[in-house]
Amino acid sequence: MTYTCILVETVGDGPRKTGLIRLNRPKALNALCDPLMDELGEALAAFDADAGIGCIVLTGSEKAFCAGADIPSIKDLDFLSAHQGGLVSKNWEHVLKVKKPVLAAVAGYALGGGCELAMMCDTIYAAESAKFGQPEIKIGVIPGAGGTQRLPRWVGKAKAMDLLLTARMMDAQEALQAGLVARVFPTEGFLDEVLKVAELLNAQSAPALALMKEMVNQAFETPLTQGVQAERLAFHAMFGTHDQREGMTAFLEKRAPQWKHG
Ligand code: CAA
């Protein structure tokens, strides 16, 4: 498959590799347009279906992870064309359907839809250079890809309101303190650090990874009792699988487990 708005490669030496997707519209700071979102959906689905891939890293460039929705291509929409044309709803949420962990690796700007896309990933790693924000108010709109809903869940209402109403940007250290990002790495060599994290994930049992991410993401959707029940069912379902027997046996035999990913 040839892509024009993204760059796709596999990285790693182990039996399961990392699917690396780079947003690549440098002249528009990786702004999100229909062709990019369609390509991203295809690349994510292909990596998700590939048994040789353990997890996926989504990144941008040094200057910008992504500066949000492509403003020229949405500027002249009216309500009906935005609504019936499926702006955002049509092809922006592919990342939510991926069963494997998706790590956002953010350097530079992650603004508007860019910040929202990062928040759709399972976790976010930031370079010191990262700047997060929801500046939609400055262009006369509000976020449309979850910014008003996910940001308060990640950073709390007070900081989300502050960011959304003022359109100010938050640097990597503030994002770390606020809980938006998992870890911050020096800008130089930042992607290599995220790829090292991805390697750790690739070495885990695939069903455990998939259930783990699904359960954590459920915590954002369900009441506690229901979430704990779902977790217990998933936990019980793992007993009797090869990887459960092997993982526990290997621990007792003081050796590394040999996963069959089932
Ligand atoms: N869409 C399309 N093109 C964009 C863009 C966007 N969101 N953001 C930047 N660009 C383009 C600029 O137009 C410029 O192109 P030209 O060189 O052809 O003029 C190029 O990228 C470089 O941008 P700047 O010259 O502005 O670079 P800068 O370093 O001075 O500023 C910035 C960088 C702070 C990110 C600034 O570009 C900016 O504020 N961009 C807009 C961010 C924004 O408002 N995002 C929200 C979009 S709406 C949205 O995302 C809705 C939603 O929730 C789904």
Side-chain angles (χ1 to χ4, degrees):
M1 175 78 204
T2 313
Y3 297 113
T4 58
C5 303
I6 59 174
L7 300 170
V8 173
E9 62 184 298
T10 55
V11 183
D13 305 320
R16 280 163 43 98
K17 307 201 185 309
T18 301
L20 175 62
I21 302 175
R22 296 174 201 258
L23 306 180
N24 185 38
R25 296 186 69 217
K27 289 186 181 147
L29 302 186
N30 297 331
L32 305 173
C33 57
D34 267 346
L36 185 149
M37 293 319 253
D38 288 340
E39 289 184 8
L40 180 58
E42 282 189 35
L44 287 167
F47 279 143
D48 208 24
D50 182 343
I53 296 292
C55 69
I56 298 167
V57 172
L58 178 61
T59 194
S61 66
E62 274 178 29
K63 177 157 186 191
F65 174 73
C66 168
D70 185 66
I71 297 171
S73 58
I74 60 173
K75 179 177 107 27
D76 294 324
L77 296 177
D78 58 19
F79 169 74
L80 269 191
S81 51
H83 192 60
Q84 293 182 344
L87 175 62
V88 176
S89 58
K90 183 175 55 179
N91 55 4
W92 280 48
E93 294 186 332
H94 295 294
V95 67
L96 299 176
K97 296 179 194 139
V98 177
K99 303 285 185 213
K100 292 172 183 170
V102 183
L103 313 180
V106 175
Y109 298 111
L111 301 178
C115 186
E116 292 169 302
L117 180 63
M119 288 190 287
M120 287 185 216
C121 297
D122 294 308
T123 191
I124 304 174
Y125 296 98
E128 284 286 358
S129 66
K131 286 189 166 53
F132 297 88
Q134 298 285 163
E136 285 87 347
I137 197 128
K138 288 208 289 192
I139 54 168
V141 291
I142 67 168
T148 65
Q149 303 303 301
R150 288 198 180 88
L151 194 60
R153 285 167 167 82
W154 286 68
V155 306
K157 181 182 172 188
K159 192 174 280 286
M161 268 305 181
D162 175 46
L163 290 162
L164 287 156
L165 296 180
T166 68
R168 78 176 176 87
M169 292 186 213
M170 175 164 70
D171 68 18
Q173 288 301 336
E174 186 182 351
L176 180 67
Q177 276 173 11
L180 182 63
V181 309
R183 278 192 258 176
V184 177
F185 297 113
T187 301
E188 177 105 27
F190 142 79
L191 187 59
D192 290 337
E193 293 301 322
V194 181
L195 291 171
K196 279 186 208 162
V197 177
E199 281 291 292
L200 294 177
L201 271 53
N202 294 339
Q204 308 299 345
S205 160
L209 276 180
L211 282 176
M212 191 82 84
K213 80 161 246 181
E214 190 152 338
M215 286 302 122
V216 176
N217 287 330
Q218 266 212 23
F220 279 79
E221 308 280 350
T222 54
L224 181 61
T225 314
Q226 210 178 315
V228 170
Q229 268 174 3
E231 181 200 71
R232 193 139 315 136
L233 188 60
F235 176 59
H236 291 165
M238 304 186 85
F239 283 85
T241 63
H242 170 276
D243 285 2
Q244 173 266 322
R245 291 270 196 274
E246 168 64 7
M248 293 186 181
T249 304
F251 172 79
L252 293 173
E253 292 175 356
K254 302 188 190 304
R255 60 173 175 83
Q258 301 292 314
W259 305 127
K260 283 193 180 165
H261 304 295

